[in-house]
Amino acid sequence: MSDSSPRPVVEAPAGSPRGDASRAWTLSLPEDASTHGHRIDALLGWSHRFEAGLALVALGWLAVAVWRFRGARRAASDGGTRRSRAWVLGLALSVFLVVDGTLLVGSEGYLRDVLWNLEVPAKDPRTVRIEINAHQWSWEARYAGADGRFGTADDVVTWNDLRVPAGVPVWVQVVSTDVVHGFSLPHFRVKLDAIPGRVNQTWFQAAREGDWEVACYQHCGTSHYRMRGVLRAVSPESYATWLQEAGRQAERVYDADDTAANWGWEWKAP
Amino acid sequence: MSTDSMHAMPPEPSSSTPPPSSRASRQDEGTAWLGTVLGWSAWAMFFVSLVFAVGWFRMRAPWPELPISRWAMGGTGLALLVGNGLLPLAVRRDLREPSATPFTPWVALGLGLVFLALQATWTHLAWWNEHLRIPEGGVPASAFYGLTALHALHVVGVMFGFFLVAVRHLRGADVRASLRRHVLGWRFVSGMWLFLFAAVYLP
Amino acid sequence: MSLFATDHKAVARRYLWSGLGFLLFGGLLALLIRWQWAFPGQPVPGLAWALPESRGALTPPTYTAVFTMHGLVMIFFAVTPLLFGALGHFVLPLAIGARGLAFPRLSSVGYWVYALGGVLVLASFGLRLGPASAGWTAYPPLSTSVFTPGLGQTLVTVAVLCAGVSAFLYGLNFVVTVVRCRAPGMTWGRLPLTVWGLFYASVLNVLFVPVLAAATVMVLMDRLLGTQFFVAGAAAVGGGGDPLVYQHLFWLFGHPEVYILILPAWGMVGDFVAFFSRKPAHGYRLTAGAMGAVSALSGLVYAHHLFTSGMSPVLGRTFMVLTLLISLPAEVMFLNWLMTLWRGSVRLTSPMLAALTTMVVFGLGGITGLALGAVATDVPLHGTLWVVGHFHLTMGAASFLGVFAGLYFWFPKMFGRALHEGLAKAHVLVSAVLFLGVFGGQLAAGYAGQLRRLYDPYQYTFLRHLLPLNQWTTACAFLLGAVQVLFVVNLVWTLRRGRAAGPNPWSVGTLEWTCAPSPPPEDNFPHVPVVLRGPHALSQPESLERLGRDWLGQAEALPGEPASASASEPPALGVVT
């Protein structure tokens, strides 16, 4: 379950490209910056082993059969025997049980412990809650401020700039103002549709401090490709300082009549 | 969907003694019948999908109170249901007297017009006057107008089929087999009307 | 030959030429996308006439239109029409011994509805705001007039509806033809596997195309009539309409559509592997049953496209299990193909090479889809080029190679002339290798996180290092485009002065080769054949002993075999010699 002790901090310089051209050829996922992402990565690793094995067996079999029986003088005259058909069924069934079974069980474990287990952020007193409103073409994020409630004067609102403390569960609820967007944090193995008219939620936890990218993965119009945000994972102390300061400033400029700016909603229970 | 173009071959000339090809022609009739049945049954998926969508919307937010009695609105569908009873009778009569002008198309056209007129005046006008309008009315109004309009289009299509049958009869073709098939279209629209009534109008 | 002829072979030829035309068009659109990812924003050589304002460079609006139309054109106007419209229309009646389709006029009407859709697609490129640009999935609210104004999106939506109507009509026609018009003795257990594939896919067509029609019509009403099915939801919270309904309806059609695009190819692979291993298909009933099981499951797995849409865990788990389940019958089918090769006498003709390469790309495509069926592993890959590579391998490359397997196999029957084998083999082999290059490159890029449909992926720093990989993939794609010249040359040359094809060039026993001349006349057969055996009567000891050849016609009686119902009929064609 959640391991909240902060890992050794590796400060990545903001905006620097992660990885170099040589990494493109090694079939690797984006760097993992979350506490739980390694479980998905390990499962994907397993699925690759299966993929490679299946490909090797299937294509190898194909190649051997073509090579060995090419132009053979006699061909068998039967469409298989009871035994050979049973063998096909048995082989298919065992491959299915092993491969799909591993994926199913591994996936189920992750869903139960992490992805669909909102108990973790709900129970953790340190949890940071963020409301995200997707627009064509930007991410607007809202923090509850000092009073811990959304839709009040001290709400902090940022554009394309998410800030989260490292080592703490972050619980996000996502909506959209216009079309369907896709909220993704590639380095945190997070993807969730932002759909007008409904509130979707998920959670993640940054393993360490650093700057990462927020990307839109659903086609949302002409400038879909520019719907990029930055997620800064900072130390819990500097996060608290930032939130306090930003909340004070937000209260100063709060305008109760600006309905477009006051889109926050009462936090939705899981 | 035009059931009309479902003829494997031009209709066999009818004569008092069965020609040698009558077995083949009966087979063609069976094929056309099967095609019509399968075609309409599969096309029911269209209305199933529409009703799936409406059901989804209704689960999210219940329909508002309708200003007009739903049962009064249901009355329009009676024209279709009555047709379900009358058309087979008319077909039976037409099959009995092959030389006379067939009744069936005219019964269908008449009842169809009654249905469309009631739908337009009674139902749609009533909604409109009660300020249930699109686009202001949101999803409920969209469903009322949109789904009933799509259904009415199907009724028009079936009526057009009957009209073509009548025309072909006037030109001297033997239309008895296709009359029976076209009644299937009527059964489809009346069945779908019941389905929509349950999904869209009823609370 | 009249353009309004209702003969199934004439309709098939019309579909063939239109489908090949749209295949070329959709392929060129694909090359534009690839160019953009290799040289973002740089002018495309030779495109300045079409995009004078940017001197030939793709702009973001043009790019969105290009990838949208690539998907729509390929699925609705190229691959489906080629598999069903061309090959299906041509082969199905011949292979079951029918004189034609059950409803010939309906098939001709279907073609013209499809052609109307094609014209609308082409016309939409001439509009000021361009063609559709909301993605081939056309998710609302983006596809409503609020966010994608202009006539183009509307026309293309109508065009999709037209393609849907034609698909429904030929689907119905095929189903009824197979049920009602089989020749005497052509039992269900004697149908060629191609017919099984076409039959299942046709059932899926008639069941699920109406679902697409419903979703599309609702979008159209939102665009044109002011209804609010999907628009009202476009508010931060609340509102009446819900765009998510569309996604469910769309994928309830969309996932079976994937199988519609591959089932006929599966059938052909099953047949060709048997024909050219000179041996009956291994586990014919198992293969046909497995194809049926896939078809039955295909409508029950669609929501894996929506794993990230905030589905309830119950639904998510259900669809995860169902999705993984569908791999079981697919494995049975694949293993049967492999077992058919084993202990056969493999002949690497051009259709066989195409069938084998179909197996390879389909196998790899299927394998790379496993991770997408489980929710946890789907999340990092969802919406990336991994998905794109996966489904292009299965329903792009595999369907494409399947089309060419069928075309190379039946071309002599369609036109009475033999294609150049060497050119055909080179075309298939090089295409397959380049397909692996293109879609393998996409899989790799997607695994590294590259998201779909990005005009300039390198806006994201974490994707910047993928530029060389994308350039390599693009090079493969352009080569792949260039290699198609081999096919065009072969086609044109053969149609002009190709040598006449023998009556049964592949030495197989199915009805179209043994009972009908090439090309077949208007009503196909001199006499309706009476079928005596299954489609793969190859290397049977009786025929080797008594006839001295390793194949037996499906309607061919062995000397001394118990007389069939039609003993008085003259021997079938192709058997005479």
Side-chain angles (χ1 to χ4, degrees):
Chain A
M1 284 285 271
S2 74
D3 168 21
S4 56
S5 63
R7 297 194 178 173
V9 173
V10 182
E11 186 69 53
S16 78
R18 287 200 172 73
D20 53 303
S22 64
R23 260 193 57 217
W25 308 92
T26 58
L27 197 71
S28 51
L29 288 160
E31 185 184 349
D32 175 28
S34 78
T35 312
H36 307 287
H38 65 92
R39 290 184 60 175
I40 291 188
D41 296 9
L43 192 57
L44 270 173
W46 270 108
S47 83
H48 287 325
R49 269 164 236 156
F50 290 134
E51 283 157 14
L54 285 176
L56 211 67
V57 170
L59 304 187
W61 187 342
L62 181 82
V64 169
V66 170
W67 174 73
R68 194 174 145 191
F69 296 105
R70 184 169 171 200
R73 286 189 50 217
R74 298 224 62 154
S77 61
D78 60 288
T81 56
R82 260 182 101 89
R83 212 171 121 201
S84 73
R85 285 192 292 269
W87 202 71
V88 161
L89 273 179
L91 186 59
L93 197 64
S94 33
V95 167
F96 169 75
L97 285 179
V98 172
V99 175
D100 295 49
T102 310
L103 282 173
L104 184 70
V105 171
S107 192
E108 176 56 32
Y110 181 77
L111 299 178
R112 197 186 49 226
D113 297 344
V114 186
L115 191 62
W116 289 337
N117 187 8
L118 289 171
E119 290 283 293
V120 181
K123 289 217 174 111
D124 195 319
R126 304 165 304 158
T127 294
V128 170
R129 290 171 174 76
I130 308 177
E131 291 184 350
I132 292 174
N133 190 1
H135 304 275
Q136 279 181 327
W137 289 278
S138 57
W139 303 103
E140 199 176 354
R142 174 176 294 262
Y143 298 77
D147 63 357
R149 289 191 51 220
F150 286 92
T152 54
D154 68 341
D155 283 5
V156 174
V157 175
T158 64
W159 290 79
N160 291 333
D161 176 19
L162 263 67
R163 292 177 193 228
V164 299
V168 168
V170 180
W171 189 357
V172 288
Q173 297 195 341
V174 183
V175 300
S176 164
T177 307
D178 34 49
V179 302
V180 177
H181 299 276
F183 174 75
S184 78
L185 302 169
H187 303 94
F188 296 81
R189 314 297 184 247
V190 167
K191 277 204 180 88
L192 191 65
D193 288 2
I195 300 174
R198 51 177 62 229
V199 179
N200 278 342
Q201 50 187 333
T202 190
W203 74 281
F204 64 93
Q205 184 170 323
R208 56 184 177 275
E209 296 171 28
D211 290 356
W212 320 94
E213 283 174 301
V214 185
C216 180
Y217 67 91
Q218 293 276 20
H219 173 48
C220 58
T222 314
S223 296
H224 164 53
Y225 72 107
R226 304 204 56 164
M227 200 158 155
R228 171 184 179 272
V230 174
L231 181 135
R232 292 173 209 281
V234 296
S235 70
E237 299 75 41
S238 53
Y239 173 79
T241 322
W242 167 77
L243 192 64
Q244 206 176 14
E245 177 52 32
R248 250 203 304 276
Q249 284 180 21
E251 246 171 330
R252 265 210 305 281
V253 298
Y254 179 72
D255 178 0
D257 298 329
D258 186 354
T259 46
N262 299 326
W263 47 263
W265 62 90
E266 199 72 43
W267 192 255
K268 206 181 134 199
Chain B
M1 201 188 63
S2 158
T3 51
D4 187 62
S5 44
M6 291 184 182
H7 293 285
M9 276 172 200
E12 299 288 331
S14 61
S15 56
S16 49
T17 53
S21 60
S22 81
R23 194 169 139 252
S25 122
R26 242 199 337 273
Q27 262 184 352
D28 288 343
E29 243 171 60
T31 305
W33 177 264
L34 179 73
T36 317
V37 170
L38 286 184
W40 283 122
S41 321
W43 192 251
M45 283 294 279
F46 180 78
F47 285 95
V48 169
S49 311
L50 291 176
V51 166
F52 171 82
V54 165
W56 179 293
F57 290 133
R58 293 185 73 166
M59 279 203 325
R60 270 171 67 81
W63 263 191
E65 260 313 302
L66 271 184
I68 309 158
S69 156
R70 290 179 164 96
W71 296 108
M73 259 168 227
T76 42
L78 278 181
L80 292 177
L81 298 181
V82 165
N84 248 342
L86 280 186
L87 285 176
L89 294 179
V91 168
R92 204 177 303 164
R93 179 263 176 197
D94 290 342
L95 290 183
R96 239 189 353 254
E97 294 172 41
S99 49
T101 310
F103 268 178
T104 322
W106 307 111
V107 175
L109 286 173
L111 281 174
L113 280 178
V114 169
F115 171 77
L116 291 176
L118 282 178
Q119 188 78 278
T121 56
W122 196 342
T123 316
H124 282 193
L125 270 184
W127 286 339
W128 199 264
N129 291 338
E130 293 293 333
H131 298 281
L132 187 69
R133 300 177 182 180
I134 49 173
E136 309 90 287
V139 170
S142 303
F144 290 149
Y145 287 104
L147 268 58
T148 50
L150 286 176
H151 177 259
L153 267 182
H154 283 75
V155 175
V156 170
V158 170
M159 286 167 61
F160 184 68
F162 275 110
F163 174 73
L164 286 182
V165 173
V167 169
R168 280 188 19 238
H169 173 80
L170 289 181
R171 289 194 182 168
D174 177 13
V175 296
R176 284 173 297 168
S178 52
L179 272 181
R180 282 180 60 228
R181 277 202 304 282
H182 279 76
V183 174
L184 286 174
W186 191 277
R187 291 204 184 286
F188 175 80
V189 287
S190 53
M192 288 305 118
W193 187 85
L194 276 181
F195 191 38
L196 288 189
F197 181 73
V200 180
Y201 297 156
L202 291 188
Chain C
M1 183 190 64
S2 155
L3 271 180
F4 294 92
T6 55
D7 179 36
H8 69 101
K9 301 175 287 296
V11 176
R13 274 195 291 274
R14 296 207 291 265
Y15 269 117
L16 179 65
W17 302 132
S18 326
L20 286 175
F22 275 109
L23 188 66
L24 172 69
F25 184 55
L28 291 175
L29 292 176
L31 292 184
L32 290 183
I33 305 175
R34 284 298 343 168
W35 174 272
Q36 173 63 25
W37 289 345
F39 310 103
Q42 291 177 40
V44 184
L47 206 68
W49 63 271
L51 303 167
E53 281 166 27
S54 58
R55 279 192 236 107
L58 290 185
T59 55
T62 325
Y63 168 80
T64 55
V66 165
F67 75 68
T68 300
M69 297 312 291
H70 162 70
L72 289 172
V73 163
M74 282 300 198
I75 290 171
F76 292 110
F77 293 94
V79 179
T80 336
L82 283 172
L83 279 172
F84 292 85
L87 295 175
H89 268 89
F90 183 80
V91 175
L92 189 96
L94 283 166
I96 62 172
R99 291 206 182 272
L101 285 167
F103 310 118
R105 273 196 279 162
L106 202 62
S107 74
S108 186
V109 167
Y111 172 79
W112 287 109
V113 176
Y114 156 77
L116 170 69
V119 168
L120 290 180
V121 162
L122 295 178
S124 71
F125 278 86
L127 297 170
R128 198 172 60 83
L129 289 179
S133 61
W136 88 274
T137 50
Y139 279 3
L142 182 62
S143 59
T144 62
S145 46
V146 184
F147 299 101
T148 309
L151 191 56
Q153 183 80 33
T154 309
L155 284 189
V156 172
T157 313
V158 175
V160 168
L161 213 51
C162 288
V165 168
S166 98
F168 182 82
L169 292 183
Y170 59 63
L172 182 63
N173 213 340
F174 287 5
V175 171
V176 176
T177 305
V178 173
V179 172
R180 292 281 304 180
C181 307
R182 282 168 290 136
M186 179 57 92
T187 57
W188 288 91
R190 289 174 179 168
L191 291 176
L193 290 168
T194 307
V195 175
W196 273 114
L198 284 165
F199 178 75
Y200 286 133
S202 300
V203 171
L204 293 182
N205 254 326
V206 293
L207 277 181
F208 292 110
V209 165
V211 181
L212 171 75
T216 310
V217 162
M218 284 165 90
V219 171
L220 264 185
M221 291 199 294
D222 275 5
R223 286 188 71 83
L224 297 173
L225 305 180
T227 57
Q228 301 269 299
F229 292 113
F230 307 126
V231 181
V237 189
D242 189 356
L244 201 55
V245 187
Y246 176 90
Q247 299 187 15
H248 278 270
L249 286 179
F250 182 85
W251 286 114
L252 181 54
F253 152 78
H255 201 73
E257 173 72 7
V258 176
Y259 290 99
I260 289 171
L261 287 172
I262 194 68
L263 271 163
W266 283 354
M268 286 189 257
V269 170
D271 273 341
F272 296 173
V273 164
F275 291 157
F276 297 108
S277 302
R278 313 306 300 167
K279 154 176 193 285
H282 185 270
Y284 169 91
R285 278 157 185 274
L286 268 184
T287 306
M291 280 156 69
V294 169
S295 309
L297 279 171
S298 70
L300 302 173
V301 304
Y302 74 90
H304 61 244
H305 294 268
L306 304 174
F307 276 159
T308 62
S309 71
M311 256 195 310
S312 81
V314 180
L315 276 182
R317 287 194 171 96
T318 313
F319 280 105
M320 171 162 67
V321 172
L322 286 168
T323 302
L324 291 174
L325 206 58
I326 209 168
S327 69
L328 179 59
E331 279 164 27
V332 170
M333 189 183 61
F334 201 93
L335 285 173
N336 268 335
W337 296 340
L338 288 174
M339 291 292 281
T340 306
L341 289 169
W342 203 257
R343 298 196 300 130
S345 170
V346 177
R347 315 281 162 88
L348 291 178
T349 59
S350 56
M352 180 62 160
L353 269 183
L356 291 175
T357 49
T358 306
M359 279 174 72
V360 173
V361 292
F362 173 74
L364 291 175
I367 287 168
T368 50
L370 283 169
L372 299 172
V375 180
T377 41
D378 175 65
V379 168
L381 302 178
H382 199 97
T384 64
L385 284 193
W386 177 277
V387 178
V388 176
H390 153 68
F391 77 74
H392 274 83
L393 277 176
T394 52
M395 61 183 242
S399 303
F400 177 96
L401 290 169
V403 164
F404 277 93
L407 196 58
Y408 287 147
F409 185 74
W410 283 297
F411 192 88
K413 182 55 58 182
M414 288 175 120
F415 296 97
R417 288 170 189 272
L419 286 162
H420 187 277
E421 267 288 281
L423 278 179
K425 285 184 195 175
H427 170 234
V428 163
L429 264 187
V430 181
S431 292
V433 170
L434 290 169
F435 268 131
L436 291 179
V438 176
F439 301 131
Q442 296 196 342
L443 284 169
Y447 200 64
Q450 185 174 341
L451 300 161
R452 298 170 73 171
R453 296 166 167 177
L454 295 180
Y455 170 75
D456 180 4
Y458 317 108
Q459 290 279 317
Y460 293 101
T461 50
F462 79 102
L463 298 178
R464 256 176 220 163
H465 67 289
L466 295 176
L467 183 63
L469 173 65
N470 275 317
Q471 285 173 336
W472 183 80
T473 311
T474 298
C476 286
F478 274 81
L479 277 176
L480 178 62
V483 161
Q484 304 313 310
V485 171
L486 287 178
F487 167 68
V488 176
V489 168
N490 200 354
L491 180 76
V492 172
W493 186 82
T494 304
L495 284 179
R496 290 230 173 143
R497 49 188 64 183
R499 66 180 167 81
N504 189 356
W506 311 115
S507 304
V508 294
T510 43
L511 296 180
E512 76 271 24
W513 293 110
T514 49
C515 300
S518 312
E522 174 91 25
D523 51 2
N524 291 349
F525 303 104
H527 301 271
V528 171
V530 176
V531 179
L532 300 170
R533 52 180 61 81
H536 309 132
L538 296 158
S539 298
Q540 300 301 304
E542 313 90 87
S543 71
L544 284 169
E545 274 168 30
R546 298 194 214 164
L547 300 172
R549 52 174 156 80
D550 67 347
W551 58 275
L552 255 178
Q554 277 193 272
E556 179 187 3
L558 274 169
E561 195 174 19
S564 67
S566 65
S568 59
E569 290 200 8
L573 261 160
V575 180
V576 188
T577 45

